[in-house]
């Protein structure tokens, strides 16, 4: 038994001196300590081969996690005393890459980039392998295979759909007959400025569509996840409708001091907390908002956020902005500026990313997007609503774009690159903004909307938005748990 410890270290090519061995052996949960020490030593660049007792002592003493988090030290909380090894990688972040302030001169290069990226995805599909340019297609009579950006969508008087499709060579009018039920139903989800493929035939000046093709996403394989990730958004700190008591229960929970045994076990497994925007309520976001603020200064709102988030010291926190945060509104939104959120930036375990952003948490790819474009999708597409953001998320994945409709409620910066194209397929697609949670598994991808920690505001009353408050989605060992702190 005892030599298990020595063997494990030997396997990792680490030798122990005698005191190190005894110190580890004396530790209550020595096998966990062995694993985390080996992990730590093999990850740190030093070439040390002999582990000394002092180094074990130093490892335990230095670790932030080792200092007890709370008064309560049940056996349950025990394993949390061990340090966690985080593997956070920022795969895509637009914070440093926003070159323009959305001036018109860049609009055409912005659309060109959007078109090119999505076209590349489309023509890599078998169905569109031998596609023609629109100019070619409008001069032939048989099978048409084209890729274009949608310029306009109309209905004819007999309720067929007409779409205006454009590429770099010209434009074509595509008719989708309403008796062609499957295609017509798909056509009802088309929006302006998305890029699609059309299979059909030319009839005079029109192209009759037989099939519409989205860039789409492949079914992905499930990856092992032996940890838990908490998905938050729309906390709205500073608002008079921010649910401070519920948020306090959440903090108690994550520290192992709230909830039943099963819930505490999940808390114990949490490594990452992701925040998809609207961490604070902001200032002047909508008319008369100040009447509903308890903290009327943006810096103070972030200071309060820092105080609350400061009580989660054993997990890695990833924070992206939303439309209430102190960022430019045009998407991609760069990370929350340090000037506004000094206290938050002082938290050693917090990372700030843009909206949208893609991160990797222990190899699990999480696409974070606040969800402003959901307002446009809900307004424009029949059957879509704030209540079912999972349907919107599914559609955005199929379109491979986070905000396909240009020039409506979602301000988009016309950058040289379109950062809202979904270049890479995530394992988790995490959003917020609508204040109503949702969850769905789509082609193996977890679609999560976090809901909110803010009860209904006057503004939301007008829009008849009934929020789901203080319910927190957690992915624990690969499956969703919804925890209720209300
Ligand atoms: O968004 C809070 C809620 O209000 C969310 O359900 C979206 C909705 N909302 C926000 N702005 C608009 C506009 N302009 N039109 C329709 N619905 C909207 P929050 O971002 O927290 O204010
Ligand atoms: Fe919000
Ligand atoms: Zn929002």
């Amino acid at each position: 038994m005892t030599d298990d410890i020595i063997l494990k270290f030997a396997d990792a090519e680490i030798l122990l001196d005698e005191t190190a061995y005894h110190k580890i052996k004396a530790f209550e949960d020595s096998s966990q300590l062995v694993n985390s020490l080996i992990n730590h030593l093999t990850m740190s660049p030093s070439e040390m081969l002999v582990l000394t007792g002092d180094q074990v002592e130093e490892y335990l003493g230095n670790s932030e996690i080792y200092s007890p988090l709370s008064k309560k030290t049940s056996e349950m909380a025990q394993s949390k005393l061990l340090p966690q090894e985080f593997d956070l990688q920022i795969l895509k972040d637009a914070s440093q890459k926003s070159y323009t302030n959305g001036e018109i001169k860049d609009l055409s290069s912005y659309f060109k980039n959007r078109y090119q990226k999505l076209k590349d995805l489309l023509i890599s599909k078998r169905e569109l392998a031998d596609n023609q340019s629109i100019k070619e297609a409008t001069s032939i009579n048989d099978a048409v295979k084209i890729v274009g950006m949608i310029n306009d969508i109309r209905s004819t008087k007999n309720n067929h759909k007409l779409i205006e499709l454009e590429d770099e060579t010209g434009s074509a009018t595509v008719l989708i007959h309403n008796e062609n039920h499957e295609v017509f139903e798909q056509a009802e989800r088309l929006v302006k400025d998305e890029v699609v493929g059309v299979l059909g035939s030319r009839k005079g000046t029109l192209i009759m569509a037989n099939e519409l093709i989205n860039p789409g996403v492949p079914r992905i394989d499930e990856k092992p996840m032996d940890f838990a990730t908490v998905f938050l958004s729309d906390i709205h700190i500073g608002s008079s409708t921010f649910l401070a008591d519920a948020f306090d229960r959440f903090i108690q929970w994550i520290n192992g001091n709230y909830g039943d045994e099963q819930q505490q076990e999940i808390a114990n497994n949490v490594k990452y907390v992701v925040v998809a925007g609207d961490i604070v309520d902001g200032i002047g976001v909508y008319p008369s908002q100040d009447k509903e603020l308890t903290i009327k200064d943006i810096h103070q709102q972030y200071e309060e956020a820092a105080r609350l988030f400061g009580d989660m010291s054993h997990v890695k926190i990833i924070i992206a902005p939303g439309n209430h945060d102190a960022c430019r509104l045009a998407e991609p939104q760069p990370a929350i500026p340090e000037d506004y959120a000094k206290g938050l930036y002082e938290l050693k375990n917090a990372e700030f990313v843009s909206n949208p952003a893609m991160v990797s948490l222990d190899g699990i790819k999480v696409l974070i997007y606040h969800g402003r474009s959901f307002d446009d999708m809900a307004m424009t597409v029949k059957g879509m609503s704030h209540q079912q953001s999972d349907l919107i998320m599914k559609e955005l994945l199929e379109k491979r774009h986070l905000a396909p409709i240009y020039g409506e409620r979602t301000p988009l910066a016309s950058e040289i690159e379109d950062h809202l194209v979904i270049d890479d397929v995530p394992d988790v697609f995490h959003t917020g903004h609508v204040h109503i949670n949702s969850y769905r598994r789509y082609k193996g991808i977890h679609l999560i909307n976090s809901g909110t920690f803010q009860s209904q505001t006057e503004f939301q009353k007008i829009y008849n938005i009934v929020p789901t408050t203080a319910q927190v989605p957690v992915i624990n060992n690969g499956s969703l748990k919804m925890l209720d702190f209300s």
Side-chain angles (χ1 to χ4, degrees), residues 234 236 278 323-324 370 433 435:
D234 300 273
H236 289 268
D278 287 1
N323 54 308
H324 283 252
H370 180 60
H433 185 58
H435 291 207

